[in-house]
Coordinates of all heavy atoms in Angstrom, one line a residue:
E918 N -78.1 61.4 21.8 CA -78.9 61.0 20.7 C -80.1 62.0 20.5 O -80.7 62.4 21.5 CB -79.6 59.6 20.9 CG -80.4 59.1 19.7 CD -80.9 57.7 19.9 OE1 -80.2 56.9 20.7 OE2 -81.8 57.3 19.3
F919 N -80.3 62.5 19.3 CA -81.4 63.4 19.0 C -82.6 62.6 18.4 O -82.3 61.7 17.6 CB -81.0 64.5 18.1 CG -80.1 65.5 18.7 CD1 -78.7 65.3 18.7 CD2 -80.5 66.6 19.4 CE1 -77.8 66.3 19.2 CE2 -79.7 67.6 20.0 CZ -78.3 67.4 19.9
V920 N -83.8 62.9 18.8 CA -85.0 62.4 18.2 C -85.5 63.4 17.2 O -85.7 64.5 17.4 CB -86.1 62.1 19.3 CG1 -87.3 61.6 18.6 CG2 -85.6 61.1 20.3
I921 N -85.7 62.9 15.9 CA -86.1 63.7 14.8 C -87.5 63.2 14.4 O -87.6 62.0 14.0 CB -85.1 63.7 13.7 CG1 -83.8 64.1 14.2 CG2 -85.6 64.5 12.5 CD1 -82.6 64.0 13.1
E922 N -88.5 64.1 14.4 CA -89.8 63.7 14.0 C -90.4 64.7 13.0 O -90.3 65.9 13.3 CB -90.7 63.6 15.2 CG -90.3 62.6 16.3 CD -91.2 62.6 17.5 OE1 -91.5 63.8 18.0 OE2 -91.4 61.6 18.1
D923 N -90.8 64.2 11.9 CA -91.3 65.1 10.8 C -90.2 66.2 10.4 O -90.6 67.4 10.4 CB -92.6 65.8 11.2 CG -93.7 64.8 11.4 OD1 -93.7 63.7 10.7 OD2 -94.6 65.0 12.3
A924 N -89.0 65.7 10.3 CA -87.9 66.6 10.0 C -87.6 67.7 11.0 O -86.9 68.7 10.7 CB -88.1 67.3 8.6
Q925 N -88.1 67.5 12.2 CA -87.9 68.5 13.3 C -87.2 67.7 14.5 O -87.7 66.6 14.9 CB -89.2 69.1 13.8 CG -89.9 69.9 12.7 CD -89.2 71.2 12.4 OE1 -88.5 71.8 13.2 NE2 -89.2 71.6 11.1
V926 N -86.2 68.4 15.1 CA -85.6 67.8 16.3 C -86.5 68.1 17.5 O -86.8 69.3 17.7 CB -84.2 68.4 16.6 CG1 -83.6 67.8 17.8 CG2 -83.2 68.1 15.3
T927 N -86.9 67.1 18.2 CA -87.9 67.2 19.3 C -87.3 66.9 20.7 O -87.8 67.4 21.7 CB -89.1 66.3 19.0 OG1 -88.7 64.9 18.9 CG2 -89.8 66.8 17.8
R928 N -86.3 66.0 20.7 CA -85.8 65.6 22.0 C -84.3 65.3 21.9 O -83.7 65.0 20.9 CB -86.5 64.4 22.6 CG -87.9 64.6 23.0 CD -88.4 63.4 23.8 NE -88.4 62.1 23.0 CZ -88.4 60.9 23.6 NH1 -88.4 60.8 24.9 NH2 -88.4 59.8 22.8
L929 N -83.6 65.4 23.1 CA -82.2 65.1 23.2 C -82.0 64.1 24.4 O -82.5 64.4 25.5 CB -81.4 66.4 23.5 CG -79.9 66.2 24.0 CD1 -79.1 65.5 23.0 CD2 -79.3 67.5 24.3
G930 N -81.3 63.0 24.1 CA -81.0 62.1 25.2 C -79.5 62.1 25.5 O -78.7 62.1 24.5
L931 N -79.1 62.1 26.7 CA -77.7 62.1 27.2 C -77.5 61.0 28.2 O -78.3 60.8 29.1 CB -77.4 63.4 27.8 CG -77.4 64.7 26.8 CD1 -77.2 65.9 27.6 CD2 -76.3 64.6 25.8
Q932 N -76.4 60.3 28.0 CA -76.0 59.2 29.0 C -75.2 59.8 30.1 O -74.0 59.6 30.3 CB -75.2 58.1 28.3 CG -75.0 56.9 29.1 CD -76.3 56.0 29.0 OE1 -76.7 55.7 27.9 NE2 -76.8 55.6 30.2
L933 N -76.0 60.6 31.0 CA -75.3 61.4 32.1 C -75.2 60.5 33.3 O -74.4 60.9 34.2 CB -76.1 62.6 32.4 CG -76.1 63.7 31.2 CD1 -77.0 64.8 31.6 CD2 -74.7 64.2 31.0
E934 N -76.0 59.5 33.5 CA -76.0 58.7 34.7 C -75.4 57.3 34.4 O -76.0 56.5 33.7 CB -77.4 58.6 35.3 CG -78.0 59.9 35.6 CD -77.4 60.5 36.8 OE1 -76.7 59.8 37.6 OE2 -77.7 61.7 37.1
E935 N -74.2 57.0 34.9 CA -73.5 55.8 34.6 C -74.3 54.6 35.1 O -74.3 53.5 34.5 CB -72.1 55.7 35.2 CG -71.2 56.8 34.5 CD -69.8 56.7 35.1 OE1 -69.5 55.8 35.9 OE2 -68.9 57.5 34.7
M936 N -75.0 54.7 36.2 CA -75.7 53.6 36.8 C -77.0 53.2 36.1 O -77.5 52.1 36.2 CB -76.1 53.9 38.3 CG -74.9 54.2 39.2 SD -73.8 52.8 39.3 CE -74.8 51.7 40.2
L937 N -77.5 54.1 35.2 CA -78.7 53.9 34.5 C -78.3 53.4 33.1 O -77.4 53.8 32.4 CB -79.6 55.2 34.4 CG -80.0 55.8 35.7 CD1 -80.8 57.0 35.4 CD2 -80.9 54.8 36.4
K938 N -79.1 52.4 32.6 CA -78.9 51.9 31.3 C -79.6 52.8 30.3 O -79.3 52.7 29.1 CB -79.4 50.5 31.2 CG -78.7 49.5 32.0 CD -79.2 48.1 31.9 CE -78.5 47.1 32.7 NZ -79.0 45.7 32.6
E939 N -80.5 53.6 30.7 CA -81.3 54.5 29.8 C -80.7 55.9 29.8 O -80.0 56.3 30.8 CB -82.7 54.6 30.2 CG -83.5 53.2 30.1 CD -84.9 53.3 30.6 OE1 -85.3 54.4 31.0 OE2 -85.6 52.3 30.5
M940 N -80.9 56.6 28.8 CA -80.5 58.0 28.7 C -81.5 58.9 29.5 O -82.6 58.6 29.8 CB -80.5 58.5 27.3 CG -79.4 57.8 26.4 SD -79.3 58.6 24.7 CE -77.8 57.8 24.1
I941 N -80.9 60.1 29.8 CA -81.7 61.2 30.4 C -82.3 62.0 29.3 O -81.5 62.5 28.4 CB -80.9 62.1 31.4 CG1 -80.2 61.2 32.4 CG2 -81.7 63.1 32.0 CD1 -81.1 60.5 33.4
W942 N -83.6 62.2 29.2 CA -84.2 62.8 28.0 C -84.6 64.2 28.3 O -85.2 64.5 29.4 CB -85.4 61.9 27.5 CG -84.9 60.7 26.8 CD1 -84.8 59.4 27.4 CD2 -84.4 60.6 25.5 NE1 -84.3 58.6 26.5 CE2 -84.1 59.2 25.3 CE3 -84.3 61.5 24.4 CZ2 -83.6 58.7 24.1 CZ3 -83.8 61.0 23.2 CH2 -83.4 59.6 23.1
F943 N -84.3 65.1 27.4 CA -84.6 66.5 27.4 C -85.6 66.8 26.3 O -85.3 66.5 25.1 CB -83.4 67.4 27.3 CG -82.4 67.2 28.5 CD1 -81.6 66.1 28.6 CD2 -82.3 68.2 29.5 CE1 -80.7 65.9 29.6 CE2 -81.5 68.0 30.5 CZ -80.7 66.9 30.6
K944 N -86.7 67.5 26.5 CA -87.6 67.9 25.5 C -87.3 69.3 25.0 O -87.1 70.2 25.8 CB -89.0 67.9 26.1 CG -90.1 68.2 25.0 CD -91.5 68.1 25.6 CE -92.6 68.4 24.6 NZ -93.9 68.3 25.2
K945 N -87.2 69.4 23.7 CA -86.9 70.7 23.1 C -88.1 71.7 23.3 O -89.2 71.3 23.0 CB -86.6 70.6 21.6 CG -86.0 71.8 21.0 CD -85.5 71.6 19.5 CE -84.8 72.9 19.0 NZ -84.5 72.8 17.6
K946 N -87.8 72.9 23.7 CA -88.8 73.9 24.0 C -88.5 75.2 23.3 O -87.3 75.6 23.2 CB -89.0 74.1 25.5 CG -89.4 72.8 26.2 CD -89.4 73.1 27.7 CE -90.6 74.0 28.1 NZ -91.9 73.3 28.0
D947 N -89.5 75.9 22.9 CA -89.3 77.2 22.3 C -89.1 78.2 23.5 O -88.3 79.1 23.4 CB -90.5 77.6 21.5 CG -90.7 76.8 20.2 OD1 -89.6 76.3 19.7 OD2 -91.8 76.6 19.8
G948 N -89.9 78.1 24.5 CA -89.8 79.0 25.7 C -89.3 78.2 26.8 O -89.7 77.0 27.0
V949 N -88.5 78.7 27.7 CA -87.9 78.0 28.8 C -88.6 78.4 30.1 O -88.7 79.5 30.4 CB -86.4 78.2 29.0 CG1 -85.8 77.5 30.1 CG2 -85.7 77.9 27.7
R950 N -89.1 77.3 30.8 CA -89.7 77.5 32.1 C -88.7 78.0 33.1 O -87.6 77.5 33.2 CB -90.3 76.2 32.6 CG -90.9 76.2 34.0 CD -91.4 74.8 34.2 NE -91.5 74.6 35.6 CZ -91.6 73.4 36.1 NH1 -91.7 72.3 35.3 NH2 -91.7 73.2 37.5
S951 N -89.0 79.1 33.8 CA -88.0 79.7 34.7 C -88.1 79.1 36.1 O -88.5 79.8 37.1 CB -88.2 81.2 34.8 OG -89.5 81.5 35.2
G952 N -88.0 77.8 36.1 CA -88.1 77.1 37.4 C -86.9 77.3 38.3 O -85.9 77.8 37.9
A953 N -87.0 76.9 39.5 CA -85.9 77.0 40.5 C -84.8 76.0 40.2 O -85.0 74.9 40.0 CB -86.4 76.9 41.9
A954 N -83.5 76.5 40.2 CA -82.4 75.6 40.2 C -81.9 75.4 41.6 O -82.3 76.1 42.5 CB -81.4 76.2 39.3

């Protein structure tokens, strides 16, 4: 599910965890933080 605010896509939710009833939410970013994987 995508969240659309003021005609702009701002977030993405994915049902990646079967045990959770809620989605995992990702925030749309222009620049990506180069954190450690």
Side-chain angles (χ1 to χ4, degrees):
E918 184 174 340
F919 289 91
V920 174
I921 302 174
E922 299 173 322
D923 298 327
Q925 298 291 325
V926 178
T927 59
R928 291 193 299 160
L929 165 63
L931 294 170
Q932 193 77 56
L933 294 174
E934 301 288 344
E935 293 183 4
M936 299 298 292
L937 299 179
K938 295 181 180 180
E939 299 180 356
M940 290 186 172
I941 306 297
W942 287 98
F943 296 77
K944 184 178 180 181
K945 192 175 184 183
K946 299 177 70 72
D947 293 331
V949 181
R950 173 180 159 195
S951 59

